[in-house]
Amino acid sequence: MGGVGRVYIVGAGPGDPELITVKGLRLLGNADVVLHDRLVAPELLRRVKPGAVVVDVGKRPGGAGPTQAEINEMLLKYAQLYDTVVRLHGGDPLVFGRGFEECEYLAARGVSCEFVPGVTSGFAAPARFYIPPVVRGTASSVALTTGREDPSKGLRQVDFRKLAAAVDTIVVYMGASSAAEIASELIAGGLPRDTPVAVVKSAYFPDEELRLLTLGELGPVPNPSIIVVGKVVERGVRLWETARRLS
Ligand code: SAH
């Protein structure tokens, strides 16, 4: 071969190894190198071909693990050494992953990259309990938001007060430590304290957990969790309970 390899920035979906796309799975099986997140289903890594290099670049709780700059450098280095590199992200690589920045970094250095979308946890985790992001008659808009702030910004990046008035369903990623503060912002923005909330922890993993509460009751949540705020929670959980009785 000549020149550098190709980098595929692939979404693995959350938890359940069957939630990856057919294309993602095929690329994973062909990859010479796989750099993966921590929140990727371990079974998926068994689909890598024998002899492939597999590197865990995930952040541990507490922050240890390679920095984003180090991950970018690794991607570049492996692309210069091998034909096919897969960067496997939990969920979707472009939804609160760093897939876009990784591709920017590589493209600026002459390495081509391609995105393979994945099922994002913000939709998949609620769906586990039959909660739809939007559904006719109950919600026609949804916002995907982050609960984590970039300390360098100083300001809130997400204006939850405005969102409270603007969208029907609010999905919060990375809200573990800021959930209570987000709830009071949403209430200040006009959402009733009894607005239904679902907290879905570790969806599709063995330690999966659902908590149902109201916005007024929302406090710190376990990590990793998706928080869903809105009337869809009530309607979804009603269907989930019916479906459970039927199965
Ligand atoms: N790119 C990922 C999100 C990465 S940010 C995606 O599209 O899903 C990490 C956050 O995702 C976590 O803090 C949590 O809010 C959420 N998350 C990821 N996997 C999850 C899971 N299995 N269950 C619940 N939340 C999850």
Side-chain angles (χ1 to χ4, degrees), residues 99-202:
F100 188 82
E101 291 96 316
E102 289 165 353
C103 192
E104 274 182 331
Y105 178 91
L106 292 167
R109 287 154 187 83
V111 174
S112 84
C113 49
E114 194 180 309
F115 296 112
V116 180
V119 179
T120 189
S121 58
F123 290 154
R128 183 82 177 94
F129 298 98
Y130 292 66
I131 301 168
V134 289
V135 56
R136 189 179 287 261
T138 302
S140 346
S141 57
V142 59
L144 302 184
T145 68
T146 172
R148 186 182 293 160
E149 295 304 311
D150 183 343
S152 65
K153 296 261 165 58
L155 287 166
R156 269 217 157 273
Q157 292 174 77
V158 182
D159 189 335
F160 284 100
R161 288 188 196 208
K162 281 196 183 139
L163 271 188
V167 294
D168 296 324
T169 307
I170 296 164
V171 175
V172 185
Y173 294 69
M174 293 175 281
S177 52
S178 54
E181 194 194 327
I182 290 169
S184 36
E185 290 293 297
L186 290 173
I187 292 165
L191 280 189
R193 301 184 70 84
D194 65 356
T195 304
V197 174
V199 177
V200 184
K201 185 216 161 202
S202 300

Side-chain angles (χ1 to χ4, degrees), residues 9 25 30 57-58 78 83 101 139 164 170 177 200 209-210 216 230 233:
I9 302 186
L25 192 61
N30 283 336
V57 295
Y78 284 122
D83 283 335
E101 291 96 316
I170 296 164
S177 52
V200 184
E209 216 177 277
L210 168 72
V233 170

Side-chain angles (χ1 to χ4, degrees), residues 19 51 109 137 176 219 238 244:
L19 287 178
R109 287 154 187 83
R238 210 182 309 135
R244 266 201 310 183

Side-chain angles (χ1 to χ4, degrees), residues 13-15 37 39 89-97 118-122 125 148 172-176 200-205 223-227:
D37 278 357
L39 288 177
H89 285 262
D92 184 279
L94 298 176
V95 181
F96 304 123
V119 179
T120 189
S121 58
R148 186 182 293 160
V172 185
Y173 294 69
M174 293 175 281
V200 184
K201 185 216 161 202
S202 300
Y204 304 91
F205 282 105
N223 205 359
S225 289
I226 285 291
I227 305 171

Side-chain angles (χ1 to χ4, degrees), residues 130 132 135-139 231-240:
Y130 292 66
V135 56
R136 189 179 287 261
T138 302
K231 291 196 188 107
V232 288
V233 170
E234 210 160 43
R235 194 163 156 200
V237 169
R238 210 182 309 135
L239 178 59
W240 174 55

